[in-house]
Amino acid sequence: MPKQIKKVAITGGTHGNELTGVYLINKFKKNPTLVKRDSFETIFMHTNVGAMHQCTRYVDKDLNRAFIKNDLCNSEKYTYEDILAKNINEKLGPKGAIKTNVDFIVDLHSTTSDMGLSLVIDNDNNLTWQVAAYLKEMVPNLHVFRWRGDTKEVSFVNSITKEGFAIEVGPIPQGVLRADLFFETEKLIGHILDFFEKLNTSKLEKRYKNIEIFDHIKLVDFPRGEDGELNATVHPNLQDNGYYKLSKGDPLFITLDGEIINYEEDEKMYALFINEAAYYEKGFAMCLTKKENIKL
Ligand SMILES: [Zn+2]
């Protein structure tokens, strides 16, 4: 673990219709004392102002998949989000540098699926996991999801720095500000900043040795016809039921004629990001995970 954290970035509005992050950044910018800690600096950034103004996920393409190292220095990439990604990378990164301009990025998201309060972690760096374990102790209902859905390179905003993660909270419809999860997310951010303050002032009481996580196994798409249209949707058992435990034979989807399609894997898995609105276009209805206790 590094001895000192000097600069943390809290980013929001990466998806312009996810208002929890948008309004938390507004609040912190107006009341910086709420998040002030003496031993390091925290900066707040709305990452996709164009999408925020439209209240859409993005303008041209998903900003949270735009941070591929080669693309960031490719002058032929010039969509709205490509240019944003280059600017953000310059301010916070650059990605892959030994010394980035900020040490840790927390990117704020919300989801239409019932994820409660979740961390989405895509790196193996120890500091990231120590923060996660600390948060899990402070906020017992927090879920930790390890994302392994990228075959080559993680291209999330928080992948600019080696250490960091995204926060996903839900269920929240797109374009809606929901009070309970707004305040829970604010509290969670407070704990993150407290962790760094304790780290910097040698007040952390322990080094965490393990953590319970939901480990990414695979993405599952809706049953679709040849035209790509949905033939079925998520079975009501899973709807609004995040981290649903699936056993062989459990209903998974229901066709529009009412026929049930079952889960056929031998292994028990937990479903999350169930029926997330933004993932229809990406081609998945849920993510299947295994619950594991991993060593840190
Ligand atoms: Zn998002």
Side-chain angles (χ1 to χ4, degrees), residues 235-236 249-255 257-263:
H235 188 274
D250 284 348
L252 191 61
F253 294 107
I254 183 160
T255 69
D257 299 321
E259 190 191 322
I260 290 169
I261 300 168
N262 289 332
Y263 174 77

mmCIF file of all heavy atoms in Angstrom, residues 235-236 249-255 257-263:
data_model
loop_
_atom_site.group_PDB
_atom_site.id
_atom_site.type_symbol
_atom_site.label_atom_id
_atom_site.label_comp_id
_atom_site.label_asym_id
_atom_site.label_seq_id
_atom_site.Cartn_x
_atom_site.Cartn_y
_atom_site.Cartn_z
ATOM 1 N N HIS A 235 -37.609 -13.143 -15.527
ATOM 2 C CA HIS A 235 -38.729 -13.715 -14.776
ATOM 3 C C HIS A 235 -39.022 -12.854 -13.539
ATOM 4 O O HIS A 235 -38.088 -12.327 -12.914
ATOM 5 C CB HIS A 235 -38.381 -15.151 -14.351
ATOM 6 C CG HIS A 235 -39.546 -15.860 -13.747
ATOM 7 N ND1 HIS A 235 -39.861 -15.758 -12.409
ATOM 8 C CD2 HIS A 235 -40.495 -16.655 -14.310
ATOM 9 C CE1 HIS A 235 -40.956 -16.471 -12.174
ATOM 10 N NE2 HIS A 235 -41.364 -17.023 -13.310
ATOM 11 N N PRO A 236 -40.303 -12.709 -13.174
ATOM 12 C CA PRO A 236 -40.641 -11.861 -12.021
ATOM 13 C C PRO A 236 -39.914 -12.225 -10.724
ATOM 14 O O PRO A 236 -39.701 -11.356 -9.871
ATOM 15 C CB PRO A 236 -42.159 -12.073 -11.857
ATOM 16 C CG PRO A 236 -42.629 -12.430 -13.225
ATOM 17 C CD PRO A 236 -41.500 -13.196 -13.871
ATOM 18 N N GLY A 249 -32.807 -25.191 -12.454
ATOM 19 C CA GLY A 249 -34.261 -25.368 -12.500
ATOM 20 C C GLY A 249 -35.057 -24.133 -12.091
ATOM 21 O O GLY A 249 -36.272 -24.082 -12.279
ATOM 22 N N ASP A 250 -34.379 -23.136 -11.531
ATOM 23 C CA ASP A 250 -35.088 -21.898 -11.157
ATOM 24 C C ASP A 250 -35.508 -21.135 -12.418
ATOM 25 O O ASP A 250 -34.756 -21.084 -13.390
ATOM 26 C CB ASP A 250 -34.177 -20.966 -10.346
ATOM 27 C CG ASP A 250 -33.997 -21.427 -8.912
ATOM 28 O OD1 ASP A 250 -34.751 -22.327 -8.484
ATOM 29 O OD2 ASP A 250 -33.095 -20.895 -8.236
ATOM 30 N N PRO A 251 -36.683 -20.496 -12.387
ATOM 31 C CA PRO A 251 -37.077 -19.655 -13.517
ATOM 32 C C PRO A 251 -36.077 -18.512 -13.712
ATOM 33 O O PRO A 251 -35.616 -17.922 -12.732
ATOM 34 C CB PRO A 251 -38.427 -19.084 -13.091
ATOM 35 C CG PRO A 251 -38.907 -19.966 -12.007
ATOM 36 C CD PRO A 251 -37.689 -20.509 -11.324
ATOM 37 N N LEU A 252 -35.737 -18.248 -14.986
ATOM 38 C CA LEU A 252 -34.764 -17.192 -15.286
ATOM 39 C C LEU A 252 -35.418 -16.108 -16.150
ATOM 40 O O LEU A 252 -35.389 -14.937 -15.825
ATOM 41 C CB LEU A 252 -33.576 -17.828 -16.022
ATOM 42 C CG LEU A 252 -32.328 -17.010 -16.215
ATOM 43 C CD1 LEU A 252 -31.713 -16.608 -14.882
ATOM 44 C CD2 LEU A 252 -31.288 -17.802 -17.028
ATOM 45 N N PHE A 253 -36.033 -16.557 -17.251
ATOM 46 C CA PHE A 253 -36.740 -15.639 -18.151
ATOM 47 C C PHE A 253 -38.172 -16.120 -18.322
ATOM 48 O O PHE A 253 -38.497 -17.280 -18.036
ATOM 49 C CB PHE A 253 -36.065 -15.615 -19.528
ATOM 50 C CG PHE A 253 -34.687 -15.031 -19.516
ATOM 51 C CD1 PHE A 253 -33.561 -15.849 -19.657
ATOM 52 C CD2 PHE A 253 -34.486 -13.662 -19.376
ATOM 53 C CE1 PHE A 253 -32.287 -15.315 -19.647
ATOM 54 C CE2 PHE A 253 -33.204 -13.120 -19.373
ATOM 55 C CZ PHE A 253 -32.111 -13.949 -19.516
ATOM 56 N N ILE A 254 -39.020 -15.236 -18.828
ATOM 57 C CA ILE A 254 -40.373 -15.624 -19.213
ATOM 58 C C ILE A 254 -40.630 -15.038 -20.604
ATOM 59 O O ILE A 254 -40.343 -13.844 -20.842
ATOM 60 C CB ILE A 254 -41.422 -15.185 -18.165
ATOM 61 C CG1 ILE A 254 -42.813 -15.664 -18.550
ATOM 62 C CG2 ILE A 254 -41.421 -13.677 -17.938
ATOM 63 C CD1 ILE A 254 -43.791 -15.696 -17.374
ATOM 64 N N THR A 255 -41.065 -15.902 -21.525
ATOM 65 C CA THR A 255 -41.301 -15.407 -22.890
ATOM 66 C C THR A 255 -42.549 -14.526 -22.890
ATOM 67 O O THR A 255 -43.344 -14.539 -21.936
ATOM 68 C CB THR A 255 -41.522 -16.551 -23.901
ATOM 69 O OG1 THR A 255 -42.791 -17.164 -23.609
ATOM 70 C CG2 THR A 255 -40.422 -17.593 -23.830
ATOM 71 N N ASP A 257 -45.075 -15.018 -24.419
ATOM 72 C CA ASP A 257 -46.259 -15.892 -24.396
ATOM 73 C C ASP A 257 -46.460 -16.539 -23.031
ATOM 74 O O ASP A 257 -47.376 -17.344 -22.845
ATOM 75 C CB ASP A 257 -46.118 -17.012 -25.449
ATOM 76 C CG ASP A 257 -45.995 -16.436 -26.844
ATOM 77 O OD1 ASP A 257 -46.699 -15.444 -27.128
ATOM 78 O OD2 ASP A 257 -45.178 -16.955 -27.636
ATOM 79 N N GLY A 258 -45.572 -16.240 -22.098
ATOM 80 C CA GLY A 258 -45.749 -16.762 -20.737
ATOM 81 C C GLY A 258 -45.016 -18.068 -20.451
ATOM 82 O O GLY A 258 -45.182 -18.663 -19.396
ATOM 83 N N GLU A 259 -44.167 -18.477 -21.397
ATOM 84 C CA GLU A 259 -43.417 -19.726 -21.176
ATOM 85 C C GLU A 259 -42.156 -19.425 -20.348
ATOM 86 O O GLU A 259 -41.467 -18.432 -20.607
ATOM 87 C CB GLU A 259 -43.027 -20.282 -22.547
ATOM 88 C CG GLU A 259 -42.456 -21.677 -22.513
ATOM 89 C CD GLU A 259 -41.860 -22.037 -23.880
ATOM 90 O OE1 GLU A 259 -42.465 -21.644 -24.910
ATOM 91 O OE2 GLU A 259 -40.789 -22.643 -23.897
ATOM 92 N N ILE A 260 -41.911 -20.313 -19.379
ATOM 93 C CA ILE A 260 -40.781 -20.041 -18.480
ATOM 94 C C ILE A 260 -39.503 -20.700 -19.001
ATOM 95 O O ILE A 260 -39.516 -21.851 -19.435
ATOM 96 C CB ILE A 260 -41.114 -20.533 -17.053
ATOM 97 C CG1 ILE A 260 -42.200 -19.616 -16.468
ATOM 98 C CG2 ILE A 260 -39.886 -20.511 -16.149
ATOM 99 C CD1 ILE A 260 -42.813 -20.108 -15.199
ATOM 100 N N ILE A 261 -38.422 -19.965 -18.964
ATOM 101 C CA ILE A 261 -37.104 -20.490 -19.353
ATOM 102 C C ILE A 261 -36.274 -20.570 -18.077
ATOM 103 O O ILE A 261 -36.122 -19.570 -17.360
ATOM 104 C CB ILE A 261 -36.420 -19.561 -20.381
ATOM 105 C CG1 ILE A 261 -37.287 -19.458 -21.638
ATOM 106 C CG2 ILE A 261 -35.017 -20.044 -20.705
ATOM 107 C CD1 ILE A 261 -36.879 -18.364 -22.598
ATOM 108 N N ASN A 262 -35.779 -21.786 -17.802
ATOM 109 C CA ASN A 262 -35.112 -22.002 -16.521
ATOM 110 C C ASN A 262 -33.608 -21.790 -16.590
ATOM 111 O O ASN A 262 -32.994 -21.859 -17.651
ATOM 112 C CB ASN A 262 -35.371 -23.431 -16.032
ATOM 113 C CG ASN A 262 -36.815 -23.617 -15.601
ATOM 114 O OD1 ASN A 262 -37.472 -22.665 -15.176
ATOM 115 N ND2 ASN A 262 -37.312 -24.833 -15.723
ATOM 116 N N TYR A 263 -33.053 -21.605 -15.426
ATOM 117 C CA TYR A 263 -31.597 -21.573 -15.243
ATOM 118 C C TYR A 263 -31.107 -23.019 -15.283
ATOM 119 O O TYR A 263 -31.588 -23.867 -14.527
ATOM 120 C CB TYR A 263 -31.303 -20.921 -13.895
ATOM 121 C CG TYR A 263 -29.867 -20.920 -13.477
ATOM 122 C CD1 TYR A 263 -28.954 -20.029 -14.036
ATOM 123 C CD2 TYR A 263 -29.404 -21.789 -12.483
ATOM 124 C CE1 TYR A 263 -27.631 -20.018 -13.631
ATOM 125 C CE2 TYR A 263 -28.084 -21.788 -12.077
ATOM 126 C CZ TYR A 263 -27.200 -20.894 -12.654
ATOM 127 O OH TYR A 263 -25.890 -20.894 -12.243
#
